[in-house]
Amino acid sequence: MRSFIERIDYFKGNDPEELAKKFGTPLYVYNEDIIRDRMTKVANVITKYPYRANYSCKTNTNLSVLKIAIETGLNADAMSEGEMRMLLKAGFTPDRIFYVCNNVSADEMKFAIDNGITVSLDSLDQLKLFGSINRGGSCSVRINPGVGAGHHEKVVTAGKKTKFGISEEDIDSIFKIAAEYDLKITGINQHVGSQFLDPAPFLAAVDNLLRIAMRFKDLEFIDFGGGYGIPYHKLDDEKEFDMDQFSREFTAKLDRFVAEYGSAPLFKSEPGRFCVAEGGVILGRVYSIKENSGIKYVGTDVGMNVLVRPSMYDSWHDIEIIRNGSVVGREDGLMEKVTVCGNICESGDVLCKDRELPVVKDDDLICVLDAGAYGYSMCSSYNTRLRPAEVLITSDGTAKLIRRRETFDDMFALYDFT
Ligand code: LLP
């Protein structure tokens, strides 16, 4: 139950109140050491065979985060032309980018092809489209292994009830289309879902994909997708994903496959959340406290436009209260049940409901933990609100502005007002 931000000195000696005053709230604040540590961990999951972790940049495409991913030796996966462009601008070479798209136009596919980026095709139709614009080319196919996993129905990305991938029953059709367009299937990939702390479903899906891989000859790579979870309930001592144990079990499965397949293709995974979630928090300001029908509402500037996960998936994010630069301890303060909400005109604009927190006062800061993944990257300008700034606490303790707050001029620049 001890404060996370104090225990690990998250702000590295910077006063969060000063950061809030200097850069304004709401404010994303990242910690470089944590991001580096997690990225290094995923880079070394498999050491016995050729292995690469692709950082799944949909979680956080901030330029500084991408540069850390390059420095820690990660490749990256992209989901859109925008993500490919961002990765190229950050310095990823095309051979380090994997484009895992679905339902895209020929133009978008062509962007990948023209830039030498490997494409994963998510349906037979998309495979045909790829063949028609790149006859004789090479590609990967995304397999839907028939089972999925994840923290919420909306993040399960495999199984009978999702839009993703090509079913195992259609593998013969893959070969037929490949022959028709003279395509070389150099890789297969999957992604079963997101945020699992128990590695069992992922490992079961590894077995499944390796079994399917036996049907493909001369694979250059097999990509098992992402999904490693993080402890969102860290103030309640939730335990972390056991990377060491996972790594041993994963390797044992690859051992059996390599013996049977006769060679070791490049093995890959696509972690996103694990790399960045814990290395990001949001600082927000409390502007109003009121009671409606017996419920105490803490009104802040951290709306669903800034962090949509609680509204979208009922996701839990731990919250710490900061007063005059110091964390208000749970052990030394009075606790009360409150509902913390944002400043958006939606009743679903709620960060947490009936949450036991130290008694909050006007002008306190809230610090929303584990916001580095699917935080800023899912921001919106709903209610014509500006996207927040992002600050990185670098390894030497400097608080560096790594993306400025949006301005109204940025927002209105899309219109012709004449
Ligand atoms: N690879 C593919 C093809 C994916 O679709 C995803 C995530 C990943 C890798 C990375 O998964 P991760 O390691 O981050 O779990 N917005 C939701 C999560 C959606 C995940 C979508 N795909 C959330 O905030 O929980």
Side-chain angles (χ1 to χ4, degrees):
M1 266 296 220
R2 275 184 59 209
S3 159
F4 169 75
I5 51 181
E6 278 191 342
R7 178 164 51 82
I8 64 153
D9 187 17
Y10 185 90
F11 298 106
K12 285 190 153 244
N14 292 280
D15 177 348
E17 187 57 54
E18 291 302 317
L19 295 175
K21 286 203 173 108
K22 182 166 176 196
F23 300 105
T25 59
L27 179 71
Y28 274 90
V29 185
Y30 303 112
N31 176 307
E32 178 175 356
D33 289 347
I34 299 178
I35 294 174
R36 264 183 204 283
D37 173 77
R38 303 305 189 270
M39 287 186 172
T40 305
K41 281 194 172 115
V42 297
N44 293 303
V45 167
I46 302 294
T47 48
K48 185 168 174 185
Y49 298 108
Y51 172 76
R52 266 306 166 110
N54 294 339
Y55 167 55
S56 194
C57 76
K58 59 183 75 71
T59 46
N60 189 322
T61 39
N62 187 289
L63 178 60
S64 299
V65 170
L66 297 182
K67 285 195 186 293
I68 299 173
I70 292 175
E71 285 164 18
T72 43
L74 300 185
N75 285 4
D77 81 63
M79 203 70 200
S80 65
E81 182 172 332
E83 288 187 353
M84 284 188 278
R85 283 180 183 272
M86 190 64 213
L87 291 170
L88 290 166
K89 272 186 171 297
F92 281 92
T93 48
D95 58 307
R96 289 178 69 177
I97 303 174
F98 186 34
Y99 175 46
V100 189
C101 56
N102 65 85
N103 311 331
V104 300
S105 68
D107 279 350
E108 187 162 319
M109 250 182 225
K110 229 173 151 302
F111 179 85
I113 296 163
D114 292 347
N115 282 280
I117 294 171
T118 305
V119 182
S120 147
L121 285 321
D122 176 80
S123 69
L124 298 177
D125 277 358
Q126 293 262 281
L127 183 61
K128 279 185 209 154
L129 181 62
F130 180 85
S132 70
I133 58 174
N134 194 30
R135 175 171 281 281
S138 301
C139 64
S140 180
V141 284
R142 178 166 174 173
I143 306 292
N144 181 334
V147 281
H151 70 85
H152 188 282
E153 192 188 351
K154 288 182 185 156
V155 303
V156 174
T157 45
K160 309 252 180 264
K161 287 187 183 159
T162 77
K163 68 168 182 168
F164 295 104
I166 303 177
S167 310
E168 197 177 342
E169 302 89 88
D170 289 328
I171 288 178
D172 285 338
S173 307
I174 294 177
F175 296 137
K176 240 188 247 156
I177 296 166
E180 194 181 331
Y181 293 97
D182 197 18
L183 296 175
K184 194 165 173 232
I185 308 290
T186 50
I188 57 172
N189 57 295
Q190 70 177 9
H191 173 72
V192 290
S194 203
Q195 176 55 19
F196 40 83
L197 285 167
D198 172 6
F202 184 94
L203 290 168
V206 166
D207 274 337
N208 203 35
L209 192 64
L210 290 175
R211 177 183 57 74
I212 292 170
M214 294 305 296
R215 295 182 59 186
F216 290 79
K217 297 284 158 266
D218 305 321
L219 285 176
E220 288 170 15
F221 68 88
I222 302 176
D223 183 333
F224 300 97
Y228 318 148
I230 64 111
Y232 281 103
H233 291 262
K234 45 175 52 63
L235 296 183
D236 291 322
D237 299 323
E238 185 175 27
K239 73 176 184 26
E240 293 173 6
F241 185 77
D242 186 344
M243 210 36 111
D244 292 338
Q245 171 76 12
F246 171 67
S247 165
R248 279 193 295 278
E249 292 181 30
F250 196 175
T251 305
K253 292 185 185 303
L254 300 181
D255 284 340
R256 288 194 287 277
F257 172 77
V258 171
E260 208 180 327
Y261 198 66
S263 63
L266 176 66
F267 296 113
K268 301 204 229 182
S269 66
E270 286 166 10
R273 183 189 318 268
F274 186 89
C275 299
V276 286
E278 295 182 276
V281 300
I282 305 170
L283 291 177
R285 183 74 69 189
V286 176
Y287 285 115
S288 153
I289 299 173
K290 69 176 174 191
E291 204 165 306
N292 271 359
S293 308
I295 299 174
K296 196 157 188 180
Y297 291 94
V298 174
T300 76
D301 54 7
V302 185
M304 61 195 286
N305 57 319
V306 176
L307 181 71
V308 76
R309 302 191 70 255
S311 312
M312 192 158 170
Y313 317 111
D314 292 324
S315 297
W316 176 287
H317 283 262
D318 278 331
I319 293 176
E320 301 204 35
I321 306 300
I322 298 172
R323 187 168 305 142
N324 303 324
S326 306
V327 173
V328 181
R330 290 162 184 262
E331 45 296 317
D332 46 51
L334 275 177
M335 303 289 282
E336 67 177 350
K337 269 200 176 157
V338 292
T339 290
V340 182
C341 37
N343 50 10
I344 293 297
C345 196
E346 292 272 345
S347 44
D349 179 30
V350 163
L351 270 172
C352 63
K353 270 192 185 129
D354 295 331
R355 179 81 60 90
E356 190 90 4
L357 287 180
V359 174
V360 185
K361 295 188 182 160
D362 270 330
D363 216 34
D364 282 350
L365 286 176
I366 60 163
C367 181
V368 183
L369 304 188
D370 304 318
Y374 306 110
Y376 190 102
S377 67
M378 293 178 81
C379 274
S380 76
S381 47
Y382 186 38
N383 281 185
T384 311
R385 289 206 172 275
L386 302 174
R387 282 163 216 259
E390 296 177 290
V391 163
L392 179 70
I393 308 292
T394 61
S395 296
D396 67 6
T398 309
K400 187 174 158 198
L401 182 66
I402 56 170
R403 173 155 38 188
R404 66 167 171 79
R405 184 173 305 281
E406 196 177 20
T407 64
F408 288 114
D409 282 344
D410 293 332
M411 197 179 259
F412 298 147
L414 299 176
Y415 297 105
D416 179 356
F417 285 98
T418 55

